[in-house]
Amino acid sequence: MGTPVSDGSISKRSLRKKAGLRNYDENLMDELIEKHLGGTLKKRNRTKEDLEKETETEAMIAFSLGFPIDALLEDEIRAGVVRKLGGKEQNDYIVVRNHILARWRDNVRMWLSKGQIRETVSKETTEGSVIIVGAGLAGLAAARQLLSFGFKVMILEGRNRPGGRVYTQKLGLEGKFAAMELGGSVITGIHANPLGVLARQLSIPLHKVRDNCPLYKPDGAPVGKDIDSKVEVIFNKLLDKVMELRQIMGGLATDISLGSVLETLRQLYAVARSNEERQLLDWHLANLEYANAGCLSDLSAAYWDQDDPYEMGGDHCFLAGGNWRLIKAMSDGLPIFYGKTVSAIRYGNEGVEVVAGDQVFQGDMVLCTVPLGVLKKKTLKFEPELPQRKLEAIERLGFGLLNKVAMVFPHVFWGEDLDTFGCLSEHSNTRGEFFLFYGYHTVSGGPVLIALVAGEAAKTFECTDPSILLHRVLSILRGIYNPKGVNVPDPIQTICTRWGSDPLSYGSYSHVRVGSSGSDYDLLAESVGNRLFFAGEATTRQYPATMHGAFLSGLREASCIYRAARGHQNNPRKYVQRNVGPSNDLMVDLFKKPDLEYGNFSFVFDPSTEDPRSMGLVRVNFSSNEGGYKEELSNSFVDSSNQPLHLYTVISRQQACELELLTGGDARRLSHLVKNLGLKLLGPSAMGYLGNSLITDITNARRGRGRNRTYVGQK
């Protein structure tokens, strides 16, 4: 799913006007469903008024599910669901889409098949075998989707359990167990969140994380409301100033850390100067490091919040009984082989081989869902090696750390009405140590309290004795509650996580590091040779570092694999991906006003940044008399016929400038582009995920459809 529309109510009349849903007859709906789903429908005896009312109702339901009223989602545009944007075909598609969504929403616990939308089904099953590496949310989501498509699926998991970095541990005395979330824990934003939908389908209750979060000083005394509010305003204003500064600096901000900019601004505006104000500001900075699983000194000042426009709205929630309930439901019945740590993936024209221990598994395609930390450590070998730009993206992106001390107590001493509370640190270098506590007593089945450790403190946590860590936590808790006359007992059981040392993760979740950008997420998502595919939270530009991001990436790659397999249905051992790219009209409009042009080369770039490393598109115009290009064309994924054609590839601003400076004309430039830069020229329908994403971003930026970032300070 793409960006959800904002919350708000809208009348049926204004909804209809905004959507532009025109009157249509009964035959139109039949025709549309036949076009998009196949088969035929029985004629239904309905009046024109009935159809209008049904259209309005279904549009409102789609709106409530996070779909725009009068536009397509970005993912729908990328998938090419209509040939031309904004016309009758798009309006008709929206009518059909809303009809399907309404039928599904009517009972989300039941599987909605094509047969329930149309009477006859004429569906060809595409057979093929896919090996999935990793049984986390991405792998499980992809597996279930691929099985529904008719693929043979096998999941290889290095652990002895499913879930990956989503890990619920049951602790406590015999007969009284409590669920403790040691990994991914909070459903961040319930509006249009697929995990919220999944929870409803499974009848799992959700608990809203309540807003009240009292803060305590290092000596245990409560922080006053006035100074708390004052420093929170300062913190948010500093972030606003960061936005203003990077707009002024443009591309220069890409090599600067968020931490250095915030500290410079703090000194420049002389804010948070007292000891208590500085400790409070440090708490907010620690919370920011928790949100990004990275030290502020590592986060990119230019792009650290690039995913903010796509943030799910609504409350943050805990899942009653723990997230293992989602994992269990998704993994039930799947062919998962545990204890299979994959060491190598081999891929080529004839298929794939996946090596785990002394076993070799063979298939048609492979989906790799291992965490970015594993890719960074290079403990998983690829044969042949991954493309250079993917390797560079893996190196550039950050993969940070969040650790926890999870404790089960004899009773809830911190208060039944409290989900979170925080503690300030005396020193800036330890600001992330036990800065925030989550009470899970409302959903875990027992008195569970979890202390979070973020930033630099999360790194030193890894090599500190657990008994020392527990002593520090209890000292903080007793410093807060003993003066209130509340006794803090020793915990019944305790677990200290070590995600950074885990050889199957080497960290917690991704962030945009200095020198990186959101484009690197797109590069990680790119498939290789239509045999090797990638999913996971570090492959989604819109929803990185979230559980729902991992889930959605699995569905995305299942769709990509399906399209790749359909490319050559008559030859199941040789797949060619058939990416649904932008329309020719869209590409023609995009290049009517190129940002740079010389010879037969035209370039367009994102107008929102001048960063020389930012990515854009180049179009090369070939005509029938340019036979000198034959050798370069033979290395590209195109048909080198004598017909005039336009070919495209993704290129950086810096590379475009290098080409312009070359002497020897277009032939020399083309040779340099293909042989020296290693780029492949493609038709518009084969641009892949990164190319289609860039086309959408540049088009939207030129139309002035960019969204403003909104930061909400959250405790």
Side-chain angles (χ1 to χ4, degrees), residues 399-455:
F399 196 69
L401 195 56
L402 175 73
N403 275 315
K404 301 180 179 183
V405 176
M407 301 162 285
V408 181
F409 286 94
H411 59 272
V412 178
F413 61 84
W414 56 90
E416 294 282 353
D417 59 346
L418 204 59
D419 291 328
T420 58
F421 60 92
C423 184
L424 313 187
S425 176
E426 195 168 348
H427 306 289
S428 293
N429 62 342
T430 58
R431 66 189 178 207
E433 184 175 83
F434 315 128
F435 80 100
L436 185 64
F437 291 81
Y438 272 110
Y440 281 85
H441 53 284
T442 56
V443 293
S444 66
V448 172
L449 191 63
I450 293 181
L452 303 186
V453 187

Side-chain angles (χ1 to χ4, degrees), residues 236-256:
N236 284 311
K237 284 186 175 179
L238 286 175
L239 288 178
D240 290 337
K241 290 295 179 183
V242 172
M243 280 191 64
E244 295 175 13
L245 187 61
R246 69 187 181 193
Q247 289 173 353
I248 296 171
M249 296 178 66
L252 297 176
T254 58
D255 293 325
I256 303 174

Side-chain angles (χ1 to χ4, degrees), residues 24-26 44-53:
Y24 58 91
D25 59 25
E26 186 178 285
R44 296 173 298 279
N45 295 320
R46 292 178 296 172
T47 66
K48 178 180 177 181
E49 290 73 21
D50 290 337
L51 291 171
E52 289 178 353
K53 184 176 181 180

Side-chain angles (χ1 to χ4, degrees), residues 230 413 611 628:
K230 175 186 175 182
F413 61 84
D611 181 5

Side-chain angles (χ1 to χ4, degrees), residues 470-544:
L470 179 59
H471 175 74
R472 290 179 187 171
V473 175
L474 292 177
S475 296
I476 290 172
L477 291 173
R478 285 165 180 159
I480 294 171
Y481 287 99
N482 284 1
K484 299 180 180 181
V486 177
N487 176 55
V488 177
D490 288 334
I492 297 170
Q493 282 184 299
T494 304
I495 290 181
C496 297
T497 64
R498 293 283 191 274
W499 287 107
S501 308
D502 187 330
L504 297 177
S505 63
Y506 289 115
S508 300
Y509 40 92
S510 64
H511 58 256
V512 182
R513 198 167 62 175
V514 174
S516 182
S517 71
S519 297
D520 286 331
Y521 287 113
D522 293 335
L523 287 170
L524 257 67
E526 282 190 333
S527 61
V528 183
N530 295 325
R531 293 290 181 182
L532 172 59
F533 298 79
F534 291 84
E537 58 86 14
T539 71
T540 169
R541 184 176 189 164
Q542 291 88 352
Y543 311 112

Side-chain angles (χ1 to χ4, degrees), residues 579-633:
N579 290 312
V580 180
S583 67
N584 287 329
D585 289 346
L586 182 62
M587 297 299 281
V588 169
D589 289 341
L590 197 61
F591 280 89
K592 276 183 179 178
K593 294 181 179 180
D595 298 309
L596 181 63
E597 190 173 23
Y598 45 78
N600 288 325
F601 289 70
S602 304
F603 303 81
V604 292
F605 299 98
D606 187 344
S608 65
T609 177
E610 296 292 329
D611 181 5
R613 289 173 296 186
S614 64
M615 307 306 288
L617 300 167
V618 57
R619 183 185 74 182
V620 184
N621 180 23
F622 295 90
S623 58
S624 57
N625 60 355
E626 289 167 323
Y629 295 155
K630 184 175 181 180
E631 181 182 348
E632 285 73 27
L633 283 172

Side-chain angles (χ1 to χ4, degrees), residues 33-335:
I33 294 180
E34 180 178 347
K35 173 184 175 183
H36 288 281
L37 298 176
T40 58
L41 281 171
K42 268 188 179 178
K43 300 300 180 183
R44 296 173 298 279
N45 295 320
R46 292 178 296 172
T47 66
K48 178 180 177 181
E49 290 73 21
D50 290 337
L51 291 171
E52 289 178 353
K53 184 176 181 180
E54 180 183 286
T55 302
E56 291 175 358
T57 302
E58 291 173 349
M60 293 179 71
I61 292 172
F63 177 74
S64 72
L65 294 172
F67 284 77
I69 296 171
D70 58 350
L72 301 177
L73 294 173
E74 292 175 3
D75 288 346
E76 290 177 303
I77 296 172
R78 292 193 190 102
V81 295
V82 295
R83 288 165 293 187
K84 185 177 181 180
L85 297 177
K88 177 180 181 297
E89 184 184 9
Q90 176 173 313
N91 186 87
D92 295 346
Y93 168 83
I94 291 173
V95 172
V96 176
R97 179 194 70 186
N98 294 350
H99 176 69
I100 295 171
L101 288 170
R103 287 293 304 275
W104 168 77
R105 183 62 178 79
D106 187 53
N107 187 350
V108 298
R109 295 182 177 88
M110 297 295 292
W111 179 266
L112 180 64
S113 67
K114 290 183 179 181
Q116 292 171 290
I117 303 297
R118 52 162 170 72
E119 235 181 41
T120 59
V121 178
S122 175
K123 179 182 176 183
E124 268 188 43
T125 301
T126 302
E127 291 191 2
S129 58
V130 181
I131 301 172
I132 298 176
V133 181
L137 276 170
L140 297 176
R144 300 201 80 86
Q145 191 79 336
L146 287 168
L147 285 170
S148 73
F149 290 160
F151 284 86
K152 297 176 183 177
V153 173
M154 170 191 293
I155 305 176
L156 303 180
E157 170 56 53
R159 305 180 191 276
N160 61 0
R161 59 170 180 82
R165 285 168 282 165
V166 179
Y167 181 28
T168 308
Q169 177 70 56
K170 291 184 178 181
L171 292 181
L173 299 175
E174 187 174 350
K176 281 191 175 182
F177 293 104
M180 310 174 75
E181 298 293 357
L182 303 182
S185 55
V186 183
I187 295 180
T188 50
I190 200 63
H191 290 173
N193 193 313
L195 298 185
V197 175
L198 200 58
R200 185 180 177 193
Q201 290 174 329
L202 297 169
S203 300
I204 302 174
L206 294 169
H207 170 76
K208 174 187 179 297
V209 180
R210 290 167 285 194
D211 296 330
N212 183 29
C213 180
L215 298 181
Y216 297 92
K217 301 176 186 178
D219 62 2
V223 173
K225 290 184 178 179
D226 291 341
I227 191 171
D228 186 2
S229 299
K230 175 186 175 182
V231 174
E232 185 171 355
V233 170
I234 290 172
F235 170 68
N236 284 311
K237 284 186 175 179
L238 286 175
L239 288 178
D240 290 337
K241 290 295 179 183
V242 172
M243 280 191 64
E244 295 175 13
L245 187 61
R246 69 187 181 193
Q247 289 173 353
I248 296 171
M249 296 178 66
L252 297 176
T254 58
D255 293 325
I256 303 174
S257 74
L258 177 62
S260 63
V261 176
L262 284 171
E263 179 57 23
T264 300
L265 290 171
R266 187 193 70 82
Q267 294 180 13
L268 180 64
Y269 290 99
V271 294
R273 301 181 70 179
S274 72
N275 194 43
E276 186 177 2
E277 286 178 344
R278 184 55 198 261
Q279 289 174 357
L280 263 169
L281 181 61
D282 274 337
W283 187 90
H284 285 284
L285 298 179
N287 199 29
L288 198 58
E289 291 177 321
Y290 156 47
N292 291 274
C295 301
L296 296 185
S297 58
D298 292 331
L299 298 181
S300 167
Y303 300 114
W304 70 274
D305 57 348
Q306 61 86 34
D307 59 314
D308 270 13
Y310 308 98
E311 190 174 83
M312 297 287 183
D315 298 326
H316 289 200
C317 297
F318 295 141
L319 204 68
N323 293 329
W324 72 273
R325 298 180 69 182
L326 289 182
I327 299 299
K328 183 178 185 302
M330 292 178 64
S331 60
D332 277 354
L334 293 181

Side-chain angles (χ1 to χ4, degrees), residues 313-366:
D315 298 326
H316 289 200
C317 297
F318 295 141
L319 204 68
N323 293 329
W324 72 273
R325 298 180 69 182
L326 289 182
I327 299 299
K328 183 178 185 302
M330 292 178 64
S331 60
D332 277 354
L334 293 181
I336 306 174
F337 295 83
Y338 297 107
K340 303 295 182 186
T341 302
V342 172
S343 58
I345 294 176
R346 304 167 185 151
Y347 60 99
N349 291 335
E350 299 305 314
V352 300
E353 289 185 345
V354 179
V355 181
D358 58 356
Q359 292 180 294
V360 178
F361 300 87
Q362 295 182 330
D364 295 314
M365 288 177 280
V366 59

